[in-house]
Amino acid sequence: ELNYPHVEGIPALREAIAAIYGAQPSQVLVTVGAIEANHIVTRTLVGPGEGIAVMVPNYLQIWGMARNEGADLRTFGLDPERDWALDTDALEAAVPGARMIAVCNPNNPTGRAMTATEMDAVVAAAERSGAWLLADEVYRGAELAGGAETPSFWGRSERVIAVGSMSKAYGMPGLRVGWAVAPEPLVEEIWRRHEYTTISASMLGNHLAAAALHPGVRPRLLERTRGLIRRGFPVMEEWAARNPDLVTIRPPDAAAITFLRYHREVASEDLAERIRRERSVLVVPGAYFGVEGHLRVSFGLPPDYLSRGLEGISAVLVGP
């Protein structure tokens, strides 16, 4: 029946999500995409004037919410000169007094996954300051090489919230189903905001997501995504190798995107607009992730389609 589902997510879906993380169903709240999970967690934990430390580059939803709410916003970076390694000095400077630390792992837009040492450093910083750690892990499962999934932050501390969704690694953004995995008392708190915000994800989305995350189906979906990524990246790699004076790329650990550095003195918004206008190719300016001189480009696409798009980018970079 197309009635309201369980507003916290139907039991079959919460059980499937919990099994992925080694959590309990009561520690899972199903949301309308990861974007709602990020929203209600941030609104619950961080108020005006309270500290929040956000990883940059990043999908800047939480960064923008913190600004809108008048929070004490601090950032810590990933170092482009060290293959986007975590800047632990910046992390240590940003965290004291923060109510929450927000990371994205694997990272959007770089596709880099943190090492175990880096993950431990983030957890340790959170525990020293008593901060909650929100880990947006929507690209987990979309690895470029190997069969192992990027480790989750879940279980590394009692104050971790792991966020995921049916988009990205599963290729089902239109279901608009995401989730937060958190300690049960916090699930109850964010559940209240969930009902004020959306009531629930759709009944159809709940049931389709439960089917997709079934142990017999989920591996096939991730293999499909990895196949697209692994066929697409060599096309991008070969294009970059032919244009070293124009672009530099780093192979992502996971995700169907790369954050390419371009070697031209032009603002990323202006460059992306020129590429759209002149070549009908859509890329995302690095400025939208807090880092200039870069473009986020997707490569999880059919090879011929991808090649045409990449040639359009290089044509604009070569031009006046």
Side-chain angles (χ1 to χ4, degrees):
E1 293 182 359
L2 294 182
N3 203 333
Y4 289 113
H6 295 70
V7 296
E8 74 273 34
I10 63 172
L13 178 54
R14 285 184 289 118
E15 289 166 6
I17 294 167
I20 294 168
Y21 293 88
Q24 297 299 316
S26 59
Q27 296 172 311
V28 176
L29 179 69
V30 175
T31 59
V32 180
I35 197 165
E36 188 204 353
N38 287 336
H39 178 83
I40 59 178
V41 168
T42 303
R43 289 294 302 274
T44 298
L45 295 178
V46 183
E50 294 183 319
I52 179 171
V54 179
M55 172 187 284
V56 174
N58 205 333
Y59 174 57
L60 291 183
Q61 177 200 4
I62 293 173
W63 177 89
M65 286 179 58
R67 291 187 64 194
N68 289 343
E69 291 298 310
D72 176 13
L73 174 64
R74 308 91 175 264
T75 60
F76 59 95
L78 303 177
D79 187 350
E81 305 305 324
R82 295 188 296 126
D83 283 339
W84 301 109
L86 177 68
D87 185 339
T88 52
D89 290 338
L91 171 69
E92 293 297 336
V95 166
R99 283 272 294 157
M100 190 173 88
I101 302 170
V103 300
C104 183
N105 189 55
N107 180 254
N108 178 8
T110 68
R112 186 183 184 277
M114 279 188 268
T115 65
T117 300
E118 290 170 334
M119 294 176 75
D120 289 344
V122 174
V123 170
E127 290 186 337
R128 281 195 299 273
S129 67
W132 286 92
L133 172 57
L134 188 159
D136 184 332
E137 300 175 341
V138 296
Y139 281 106
R140 182 170 172 254
E143 287 72 26
L144 181 61
E149 289 183 39
T150 303
S152 174
F153 272 96
W154 176 255
R156 291 173 180 261
S157 167
E158 294 181 354
R159 295 172 69 83
V160 167
I161 307 108
V163 170
S165 84
M166 294 306 300
S167 63
K168 314 307 183 192
Y170 299 102
M172 298 181 174
L175 289 186
R176 303 309 305 134
V177 170
W179 55 84
V181 184
E184 193 169 339
L186 182 60
V187 167
E188 292 180 3
E189 287 191 56
I190 62 176
W191 183 343
R192 297 185 182 101
R193 290 191 185 274
H194 170 61
E195 294 209 35
Y196 268 91
T197 305
T198 59
I199 301 178
S200 70
S202 73
M203 175 72 84
L204 188 58
N206 267 258
H207 280 276
L208 290 174
L213 296 182
H214 185 278
V217 178
R218 180 175 180 267
R220 292 159 52 197
L221 291 175
L222 294 183
E223 190 58 33
R224 173 186 178 274
T225 297
R226 291 172 176 179
L228 290 168
I229 291 169
R230 294 168 186 180
R231 287 191 297 273
F233 187 71
V235 175
M236 172 164 276
E237 199 169 34
E238 188 275 333
W239 169 79
R242 286 190 285 107
N243 295 283
D245 57 326
L246 300 179
V247 299
T248 300
I249 63 170
R250 175 198 179 278
D253 299 306
I257 52 174
T258 190
F259 204 41
L260 68 83
R261 177 182 292 186
Y262 58 85
H263 308 309
R264 291 290 182 270
E265 293 296 326
V266 57
S268 59
E269 282 190 80
D270 294 338
L271 178 59
E273 175 59 16
R274 278 194 58 197
I275 293 169
R276 183 199 67 81
R277 187 176 64 249
E278 297 176 17
R279 296 289 170 166
S280 194
V281 176
L282 297 179
V283 297
V284 187
Y288 290 3
F289 300 94
V291 179
E292 265 295 359
H294 292 74
L295 299 172
R296 190 186 79 161
V297 181
S298 172
F299 58 83
L301 301 161
D304 290 346
Y305 185 94
L306 175 59
S307 293
R308 290 196 301 273
L310 294 173
E311 294 305 326
I313 294 171
S314 50
V316 173
L317 286 170
V318 167

